[in-house]
Amino acid sequence: MKKKVFGFITTVLAAAMLLSGCSGSSGNDGNASSGGNSGSASASGDGWKPSSTVTIYCVSAAGGATDYCDRAMAQALGDYWGATVQVVNQPGGSGGVAAGTVWNNAHDGMSILGFSEAVFSQRAMGVFDQAPTAWDLMPVMNTTAVLSVPAGSPYANIDDLIAASKSKTINMASGTGGSVWSLKASLFADAAGITFNRLNYEGSVPSQTAALSGEVEYVVTGLSEQLEYILAGKLVPLAMIETEPAEIEGFGTIPAITDALPSFADYKQPLQCIGLAIPNDCPDDVRAAYEEAFKACMESDTVKTALADGNYNTLGLYGEEAQALAAEQEQVYSWALFDAEVAPEDPSQFGIGHP
């Protein structure tokens, strides 16, 4: 079944779950919001509310999917609480820099982690020593992986790229080592029997910029993140690094990588996952308040519009469902990255079983 990439996209991940970014400084650059003009419900007079400015520490640089998500949620949370919620971008260390900031701050609900799927591999990557289940994860959205080349590339299709990669080492970009795009690129290379020279960048936006500027010959990032460049003809998609194609309004169909490499379907597929998190040892009233706020924000016009405008899939998970996803995806990410010799730490030392 082809995936439609326009309008509001509903999630297709429920069955899989059952089976199993502003500047990079720590300044106060970011979104602030207040009021109730976005169609969001307001918090009741009972229960915990922030006493001052709440800060979302985003693991990515400005402009990518995580930053986009965090800014939409900052607006929605600000409207819900009638408070100021700001975003501070802290890329680096496969998400470990921002995670460390939030973890080392008071666990009082005033600091939020704007996480990406890199949270699932941080122990194996050696950048943060807490399991993803140490957080109250609130996944908001995701997108799918696409491999693209810049306009004018000599590679007209994925077969051309694979053939060239068997005769020489080609430069590629896919974000930081623990990202879903990095892992998708590694799985593609393994299925194709090729190698590449991975140039790491702190997020999808600089990775795509590297492709546009010719620093790398191809890039693997999110379809929603590449969409404007694809429609403008600046990036040419060769394949979805997925088991299903994508159909883009105004462009056409991007084939699934399984058309060229059927064995790719045999790999346990990692899911992109973007959202907010607080340490799960925050006071009970804080945790309860965040769960209610998150549910309200997911129903707000602000978040629904952001999802539709950005062509993202909706997740909206919390509680036990989010914890189950985190445990399952830590297995997938940690072992795949370790087996690909990207993650330096053996997952078994943390008690992470094979998926």
Side-chain angles (χ1 to χ4, degrees):
M1 179 178 68
K2 294 180 180 178
K3 179 181 175 182
K4 301 287 186 179
V5 186
F6 58 93
F8 184 77
I9 308 176
T10 57
T11 182
V12 295
L13 301 178
M17 293 170 193
L18 290 174
L19 289 174
S20 17
C22 248
S23 70
S25 71
S26 59
N28 288 337
D29 237 355
N31 274 7
S33 61
S34 62
N37 299 320
S38 65
S40 174
S42 298
S44 68
D46 299 327
W48 180 88
K49 287 184 181 180
S51 57
S52 59
T53 298
V54 175
T55 301
I56 299 173
Y57 292 92
C58 177
V59 301
S60 298
T66 308
D67 178 74
Y68 179 85
C69 171
D70 290 353
R71 293 180 186 279
M73 290 299 292
Q75 178 68 46
L77 284 170
D79 290 338
Y80 177 79
W81 279 322
T84 300
V85 182
Q86 66 178 1
V87 176
V88 171
N89 296 85
Q90 285 196 329
S94 296
V97 173
T101 295
V102 176
W103 199 263
N104 291 328
N105 285 349
H107 292 191
D108 58 1
M110 303 305 293
S111 295
I112 306 173
L113 177 65
F115 74 88
S116 71
E117 68 286 341
V119 73
F120 301 136
S121 61
Q122 287 175 340
R123 290 199 289 177
M125 291 296 293
V127 298
F128 188 65
D129 61 2
Q130 298 293 327
T133 50
W135 301 92
D136 276 350
L137 295 178
M138 295 167 277
V140 175
M141 66 186 201
N142 78 346
T143 186
T144 46
V146 61
L147 185 156
S148 295
V149 296
S153 168
Y155 311 120
N157 53 55
I158 197 66
D159 291 327
D160 289 346
L161 178 63
I162 292 171
S165 298
K166 290 184 176 179
S167 62
K168 63 178 180 179
T169 301
I170 296 178
N171 291 334
M172 62 83 64
S174 59
T176 55
S179 73
V180 65
W181 314 135
S182 175
L183 181 48
K184 287 281 192 177
S186 294
L187 295 180
F188 156 68
D190 192 64
I194 62 172
T195 59
F196 49 67
N197 182 33
R198 186 198 311 272
L199 301 184
N200 287 323
Y201 298 86
E202 291 294 345
S204 295
V205 171
S207 295
Q208 292 163 184
T209 299
L212 293 167
S213 67
E215 290 179 30
V216 297
E217 294 180 68
Y218 67 99
V219 61
V220 177
T221 53
L223 179 56
S224 293
E225 296 167 319
Q226 289 192 29
L227 193 55
E228 65 176 296
Y229 299 110
I230 292 171
L231 294 175
K234 296 180 179 180
L235 288 176
V236 181
L238 301 189
M240 298 300 300
I241 309 302
E242 307 286 350
T243 58
E244 292 186 356
E247 185 178 315
I248 300 179
E249 188 176 29
F251 176 83
T253 301
I254 305 174
I257 191 61
T258 45
D259 288 358
L261 301 170
S263 64
F264 185 82
D266 297 334
Y267 293 89
K268 184 71 174 179
Q269 294 299 312
L271 304 178
Q272 193 204 32
C273 189
I274 300 170
L276 303 182
I278 59 172
N280 67 12
D281 62 355
C282 284
D284 288 345
D285 61 336
V286 173
R287 299 177 68 193
Y290 265 91
E291 182 173 313
E292 292 306 310
F294 179 72
K295 289 188 287 186
C297 289
M298 290 303 301
E299 294 299 321
S300 70
D301 291 346
T302 295
V303 173
K304 286 185 175 181
T305 299
L307 288 163
D309 288 350
N311 293 298
Y312 287 97
N313 301 326
T314 304
L315 295 177
L317 306 177
Y318 56 89
E320 292 182 1
E321 193 173 11
Q323 290 292 89
L325 174 65
E328 185 263 348
Q329 286 293 304
E330 185 179 35
Q331 293 180 322
V332 173
Y333 275 87
S334 298
W335 282 105
L337 290 168
F338 182 70
D339 291 342
E341 299 184 350
V342 175
E345 302 293 336
D346 185 339
S348 63
Q349 70 178 297
F350 305 113
I352 302 172
H354 276 278

